[in-house]
Amino acid sequence: MSVSAWPFDGVSQSVSQQRQRAVGRVAFGAVGLDGRTRPMRIEESGSMRIRLPKGQGSGLDAVLVNTAGGIACGDRFSVQVEVRSGATVTVATPAAEKVYRSDGPVAELVVDLKVAVEARLDWLPQETILFDRARLRRSLSVEMAENASLTLFEAVVFGREARAERIVDGLFEDRWRVRRGGRLVYADTLRLDGPIDDLLQKPVVGRGARVFATMIHAAPDAEARLDAAREHLSSVADGCDAAASAWNGLLAVRFCAMKVEALRSAAIPFLLAFRGEPLPRVWLS
């Protein structure tokens, strides 16, 4: 009796090609009516959901939920948020988003934001945590009116602190573009590819830090708030470096720290003072 060898390589390749990955999309819009912000459009597909917990003020809190439980190799997600005239919306996430290791494919997250005349949008997701060998390409684009108000805050953590994890190999590409009145006013692209932990050790890159955050505020009075922002940052404790600058109608704040706790200890009081109102309740749960 003869026994044929199972074609392991062929099966592995077939399984890889047929692997089902998470695909999710959310499109959400809000409008200002009678002094309050009301939802006007909610579209959900795949593993992305949006929830609207009852808030305290006239604005609207929106919470993005990824029911896939994280982002893995080859996943595709897109988020569209439109804030129409007179509306105020704050978008957050219920927890940190985890990006798991990949065996090759790159996961993608695309965010498109539109902020109309006299509207306000605060984009405040919690941290993104990259595991070793994670591969993520993320883009965020904004179209806003001249007199709209926008606050963006994003934090990224390279490696799980509880496991003392090092990113010996991975890809993180983060592309931000902000257009105001049809004019490009902010463009920033970060790309770390390969031994990310080694790259972050370099003084000109991260000086050993592994937790980073950026806040961008665009509004008619953004540059005028630079001194106040620096005053809010003056009490930042050891373990986190932070600095603010302003130009072109924007205010930018950068944070870098060795630990998530140090970043949060600096960023949360700053955001509370700068925004003059509580953070979304999911940040505190």
Side-chain angles (χ1 to χ4, degrees), residues 48-160:
M48 290 295 290
R49 298 288 184 270
I50 192 162
R51 296 294 179 260
L52 306 174
K54 186 175 181 180
Q56 298 293 326
S58 60
L60 195 63
D61 287 346
V63 180
L64 290 171
V65 180
N66 176 12
T67 61
I71 300 175
C73 51
D75 289 352
R76 299 286 185 271
F77 298 103
S78 68
V79 178
Q80 298 174 351
V81 177
E82 180 182 4
V83 186
R84 292 196 176 182
S85 180
T88 297
V89 174
T90 299
V91 181
T93 57
E97 185 69 272
K98 299 176 179 64
V99 185
Y100 299 108
R101 65 181 296 160
S102 169
D103 56 6
V106 178
E108 292 187 1
L109 172 60
V110 178
V111 178
D112 291 305
L113 310 175
K114 293 183 179 180
V115 194
V117 174
E118 296 182 348
R120 172 181 169 181
L121 172 62
D122 288 8
W123 176 262
L124 304 174
Q126 298 190 62
E127 306 88 13
T128 297
I129 303 176
L130 274 72
F131 287 37
D132 184 31
R133 303 187 186 280
R135 300 181 66 79
L136 175 65
R137 183 176 293 118
R138 185 171 68 179
S139 68
L140 185 151
S141 63
V142 181
E143 295 279 355
M144 62 182 295
E146 286 283 358
N147 65 349
S149 177
L150 170 76
T151 300
L152 305 173
F153 180 84
E154 285 273 9
V156 59
V157 182
F158 293 97
R160 293 166 291 177

Side-chain angles (χ1 to χ4, degrees), residues 189-265:
T189 299
L190 170 66
R191 180 181 171 88
L192 297 172
D193 191 2
I196 291 178
D197 189 76
D198 291 343
L199 293 171
L200 293 178
Q201 298 300 319
K202 296 182 178 181
V204 296
V205 180
R207 204 173 61 183
R210 53 184 295 274
V211 185
F212 301 88
T214 297
M215 189 202 80
I216 297 294
H217 179 68
D221 65 342
E223 290 188 72
R225 300 184 65 184
L226 177 60
D227 289 342
R230 288 175 171 169
E231 180 64 26
H232 297 325
L233 293 173
S234 63
S235 60
V236 171
D238 292 341
C240 182
D241 293 327
S245 57
W247 76 101
N248 205 25
L250 302 170
L251 173 69
V253 182
R254 304 276 194 178
F255 300 85
C256 63
M258 293 297 299
K259 298 187 176 187
V260 176
E261 292 80 5
L263 172 72
R264 281 186 159 247
S265 294

